[in-house]
Amino acid sequence: PDLLPACNGEITTMSFLQDVVDILLQYVVKSFDRSTKVIDFHYPNELLQEYNWELADQPQTLEEILLNCRTTLKYAIKTGHPRYFNQLSTGLDMVGLAADWLTSAANTNMFTYEIAPVFVLLEYVTLRKMREMVGWPGGCGDGIFSPGGAISNMYAMLIARFKMFPEVKEKGMAAIPRLVAFTSEHSHFSVKKGAAALGIGTDSVILIRCDERGKMIPSDLERRILEAKQKGFVPFLVSATAGTTVYGAFDPLIAIADICKKYKIWMHVDGAWGGGLLMSRKHKWKLNGVERANSVTWNPHKMMGVPLQCSALLVREEGLMQSCNQMHASYLFQQDKHYDLSYDTGDKALQCGRHVDVFKLWLMWRAKGTTGFEAQIDKCLELAEYLYNKIKNREGYEMVFDGKPQHTNVCFWYIPPSLRSMEDNEERMSRLTKVAPVIKARMMEYGTTMVSYQPLGDKVNFFRMVISNPAATHQDIDFLIDEIERLGQDL
């Protein structure tokens, strides 16, 4: 009650916020200290019992509030720690963090120029720059920052459907033929999720076979398109993946673009994970053909290390998002305002309230320049190659697929000594399935590092190592390998 806007609350407020900043700064320093744990793991019931988290009628003191802040960070996962490899989004960028603090202080909404003038202009500038990097002439087109790659992919489906059947907006799915979408069997689950949400249905998402490296096979795509058309379905979207979640594979975009052109189908590229490679002169060839897409998802919060969340959907045709989504709400988008209404971008979004995500990316881009992002990305890819070279012939390791990784995903099994001389049969498989989960559980209990695992198709649980944190070094990769061996040798 003593904080602003309370009468004479300035001094109390300043000292409270100073204390909060001190807590945050200590946490930031700890995040990069390799001698600290990545995670202080407790089971849910332990955490619930150890502290009182309940909400009460009576206020607590500011001392208790500061204690709450400390406790929360005590058990937070240090996603900026150089040995946290668990997700596609890792790292803690100082300029991005500063931008996030500023965004929270400004506390506004992205729907109109009226209430977010600078942020709206920065979104315009940044999206245009990203479209330029995709390769659309002069950065033409449209786009939006959305709450994550899954929503960006759903926007793409929504717009593709509207482009083919504009009447669906008023009349709904009953008024149009049965639609089908195509995506690879290694693609992100959000394509099916979007189809479910949009009333297209998950059965209408046809999964295309991949080669052994996880890339979509174009001939299979064409075969399935023809099959669908023979059944009387209408193919409306192909979602190609640039950087798959598990293998980090890049679909052959040029071949896919040719097929989309031939059958007049919307081509979407889900570059949520691999889009960042467009910043790198050395690696952007992996997205050759992306300039032929009708829409592209690109998540700067993954490979580029922008604080969560920051996901862009880019659309080649201007005006399409607006006509697809606008509802002309007269209390927000009055047509008789005194400035250029094209800067009231809110009506092209599905959301009404929309968080300011652009400022983190824009400020980091100013601080690093494109070359800074490039160096950061090249470093992560070099580390992945270092890991691959280190384990490809090392005793106790088996690669999930042959050849150098295309992205920073390195997929492998650790084979404990007890399994190394066993012949390849059912029993060995069922024992190998249990290895990664046990090592992962031990990693979390010791708190030393985190790396994710999963099964895929007929392959039992394997480690999927990903690197997107520029703070990681060769020593951290060495540490990870030693740790896996230390925690898994007795299995």
Side-chain angles (χ1 to χ4, degrees):
D2 311 329
L3 299 177
L4 285 172
C7 191
N8 301 325
E10 291 90 337
I11 293 169
T12 323
T13 302
M14 287 306 156
S15 78
F16 169 70
L17 289 179
Q18 197 60 59
D19 289 341
V20 173
V21 168
D22 290 344
I23 292 170
L24 295 178
L25 295 181
Q26 282 164 21
Y27 180 76
V28 168
V29 171
K30 254 191 185 154
S31 282
F32 295 103
D33 178 356
R34 288 175 173 78
S35 68
T36 64
K37 289 179 163 192
V38 173
I39 172 179
D40 183 354
F41 181 76
H42 287 61
Y43 288 95
N45 57 339
E46 296 176 336
L47 265 186
L48 279 172
Q49 284 157 15
E50 204 164 321
Y51 296 93
N52 174 19
W53 305 100
E54 294 308 313
L55 297 164
D57 291 343
Q58 297 308 313
Q60 289 198 308
T61 65
L62 287 180
E63 279 66 42
E64 289 170 305
I65 296 304
L66 289 169
L67 197 61
N68 294 157
C69 292
R70 283 198 185 89
T71 305
T72 302
L73 284 180
K74 175 172 160 55
Y75 299 107
I77 315 302
K78 295 193 190 76
T79 56
H81 196 290
R83 291 174 182 168
Y84 173 81
F85 302 110
N86 206 64
Q87 248 63 43
L88 302 183
S89 46
T90 62
L92 181 56
D93 187 275
M94 295 307 117
V95 174
L97 180 62
D100 227 349
W101 290 351
L102 184 143
T103 300
S104 293
N107 190 31
T108 193
N109 212 316
M110 280 301 284
F111 37 61
T112 59
Y113 180 84
E114 181 178 326
I115 62 162
V118 177
F119 295 135
V120 163
L121 293 178
L122 295 183
E123 185 169 71
Y124 172 78
V125 166
T126 307
L127 288 169
R128 190 182 61 202
K129 177 76 172 173
M130 292 171 83
R131 290 192 299 268
E132 233 170 74
M133 300 192 82
V134 164
W136 295 334
C140 68
D142 207 340
I144 199 159
F145 283 95
S146 88
I151 304 295
S152 293
N153 288 342
M154 188 169 87
Y155 266 122
M157 296 184 101
L158 181 72
I159 297 160
R161 177 176 71 176
F162 176 80
K163 172 72 176 168
M164 195 175 265
F165 294 104
E167 64 271 27
V168 74
K169 182 175 172 181
E170 285 81 21
K171 306 270 186 293
M173 288 294 281
I176 65 171
R178 165 94 186 262
L179 302 179
V180 283
F182 304 84
T183 189
S184 92
E185 56 188 0
H186 283 212
S187 70
H188 195 259
F189 67 83
S190 56
V191 179
K192 282 195 163 180
K193 210 167 233 204
L198 296 175
I200 293 163
T202 56
D203 287 353
S204 301
V205 177
I206 295 171
L207 299 182
I208 306 303
R209 291 217 321 273
C210 291
D211 65 16
E212 64 287 343
R213 292 293 306 265
K215 296 163 178 287
M216 188 195 288
I217 300 170
S219 59
D220 194 52
L221 171 64
E222 186 158 20
R223 186 178 69 81
R224 300 302 297 269
I225 288 172
L226 288 168
E227 215 172 79
K229 286 168 82 92
Q230 273 158 2
K231 290 180 182 162
F233 302 148
V234 177
F236 82 108
L237 171 128
V238 173
S239 180
T241 313
T244 57
T245 312
V246 180
Y247 280 10
F250 289 81
D251 285 343
L253 302 181
I254 294 173
I256 292 168
D258 289 342
I259 293 169
C260 289
K261 186 181 175 186
K262 181 172 170 183
Y263 296 101
K264 298 186 172 57
I265 304 173
W266 183 282
M267 178 182 172
H268 174 62
V269 174
D270 176 3
W273 173 221
L277 268 53
L278 290 169
M279 312 290 282
S280 163
R281 285 166 292 197
K282 187 176 171 188
H283 295 286
K284 68 177 178 195
W285 63 270
K286 294 166 188 176
L287 290 102
N288 280 352
V290 69
E291 70 286 347
R292 295 177 60 189
N294 298 95
S295 56
V296 177
T297 293
W298 175 357
N299 287 10
H301 71 222
K302 292 195 167 89
M303 201 62 211
M304 289 162 67
V306 177
L308 286 159
Q309 56 205 14
C310 187
S311 170
L313 174 78
L314 310 169
V315 181
R316 190 167 60 188
E317 184 181 326
E318 209 177 331
L320 197 55
M321 290 191 81
Q322 189 74 13
S323 40
C324 175
N325 293 325
Q326 70 185 2
M327 289 294 153
H328 305 292
S330 57
Y331 55 86
L332 257 189
F333 308 114
Q334 302 89 340
Q335 295 305 296
D336 45 9
K337 291 183 181 180
H338 62 293
Y339 59 81
D340 178 352
L341 293 177
S342 72
Y343 292 105
D344 282 4
T345 52
D347 218 6
K348 68 183 178 193
L350 276 184
Q351 303 161 261
C352 176
R354 194 159 66 87
H355 186 258
V356 176
D357 291 328
V358 67
F359 192 63
K360 298 171 285 201
L361 171 58
W362 180 83
L363 203 65
M364 280 172 68
W365 209 326
R366 296 281 285 202
K368 288 178 204 289
T370 306
T371 55
F373 275 124
E374 176 180 50
Q376 186 175 311
I377 287 163
D378 287 354
K379 181 189 170 182
C380 291
L381 279 125
E382 190 276 318
L383 283 174
E385 203 172 325
Y386 171 78
L387 169 62
Y388 167 72
N389 289 331
K390 193 177 159 89
I391 63 175
K392 65 176 175 189
N393 300 317
R394 189 183 178 97
E395 193 189 3
Y397 291 85
E398 273 177 35
M399 304 310 296
V400 174
F401 55 83
D402 289 333
K404 212 169 77 168
Q406 274 220 298
H407 205 351
T408 68
N409 309 51
V410 183
C411 299
F412 60 91
W413 288 282
Y414 170 69
I415 318 286
S418 71
L419 297 185
R420 283 175 204 172
S421 51
M422 270 183 83
E423 56 180 293
D424 201 3
N425 57 19
E426 284 293 305
E427 197 208 339
R428 183 178 185 268
M429 291 274 265
S430 76
R431 283 177 60 179
L432 188 54
T433 305
K434 300 185 181 85
V435 171
V438 172
I439 293 177
K440 171 71 177 267
R442 290 176 178 181
M443 278 176 181
M444 289 175 71
E445 274 158 19
Y446 282 106
T448 46
T449 183
M450 283 175 78
V451 58
S452 87
Y453 70 84
Q454 68 282 302
L456 187 69
D458 58 352
K459 296 178 165 58
V460 300
N461 283 327
F462 56 87
F463 286 112
R464 175 205 64 171
M465 170 69 179
V466 281
I467 303 158
S468 59
N469 183 355
T473 61
H474 292 122
Q475 288 85 340
D476 296 312
I477 305 295
D478 297 342
F479 175 85
L480 174 81
I481 294 304
D482 293 343
E483 198 61 358
I484 287 173
E485 290 169 4
R486 179 178 81 88
L487 297 172
Q489 59 182 346
D490 63 330
L491 297 178

